Amino acid sequence: MPMKPTTVALLAASVLVAPAAGAAGIDLHRMWDDRCAGCHGHAGDFARKLTVSGGELQGRHHVHDLRLFLRNHYPADSEVDAVYDMLLAQASSAARFRAECSSCHGTAAEFVRDTLALRDGELLGRESGRPVHLFLGAHRQLGAADASFFAQLLKRVAGEVFRP
């Protein structure tokens, strides 16, 4: 039996306003995927299209104040700075996880959600309990600089996914 148009509208509205909460709070990546990706694509791609000037993100096309842009979009006021910081971090780092890891691990946010835990500020394998930075040193023969890059990236993403 087909749904009534009002039912479809209510379901669609609930997706837009439902909190993007993970086990510990707001999952910024899930929120982006639910509320923003339909128009703006992957958060990292969106962020890398912006320019970073003096540590601030600036839009290339008619968006001069990204925080104002965000306030006029879906994030609640309390989420604007968190989304802004996430985008700034993505704009400031290379898309190496996608290029080097995604064929096995999906997106960084999915990988963090599914396999890692953040406990007392340390990023650990959920099943092994082993610190990720120790594992990365041996993974695929990563050098110290590469292991450090990915450990920092995954810890940042964990902070965005497992936000209080």
Side-chain angles (χ1 to χ4, degrees):
M1 176 173 166
M3 289 200 288
K4 295 178 182 179
T6 54
T7 304
V8 172
L10 287 172
L11 286 171
S14 70
V15 168
L16 290 176
V17 298
I26 297 169
D27 179 333
L28 296 175
H29 291 265
R30 188 164 280 139
M31 182 183 75
W32 180 276
D33 292 344
D34 290 346
R35 300 179 188 176
C36 311
C39 294
H40 303 293
H42 184 274
D45 295 338
F46 175 80
R48 289 181 191 97
K49 289 178 187 173
L50 302 172
T51 58
V52 179
S53 175
E56 292 286 317
L57 281 169
Q58 299 175 356
R60 293 182 183 170
H61 304 290
H62 309 294
V63 179
H64 300 289
D65 183 342
L66 187 63
R67 283 190 174 97
L68 179 60
F69 171 82
L70 290 170
R71 280 188 182 89
N72 290 325
H73 273 65
Y74 295 114
D77 284 341
S78 62
E79 299 163 347
V80 167
D81 286 337
V83 172
Y84 178 89
D85 290 343
M86 176 184 78
L87 294 172
L88 180 61
Q90 290 177 323
S92 302
S93 66
R96 290 186 59 192
F97 191 92
R98 180 184 292 166
E100 300 173 43
C101 310
S102 66
S103 63
C104 294
H105 302 297
T107 68
E110 291 167 339
F111 178 68
V112 166
R113 266 187 226 110
D114 295 343
T115 64
L116 303 178
L118 192 57
R119 290 192 196 113
D120 299 323
E122 186 163 22
L123 192 59
L124 307 170
R126 186 172 295 150
E127 289 184 19
S128 70
R130 187 174 174 198
V132 169
H133 71 276
L134 295 177
F135 171 78
L136 285 172
H139 186 61
R140 299 194 65 177
Q141 301 175 336
L142 289 176
D146 290 332
S148 176
F149 171 85
F150 286 113
Q152 289 174 21
L153 178 133
L154 292 170
K155 187 171 182 179
R156 174 185 58 81
V157 171
E160 296 162 354
V161 167
F162 303 131
R163 278 180 49 83

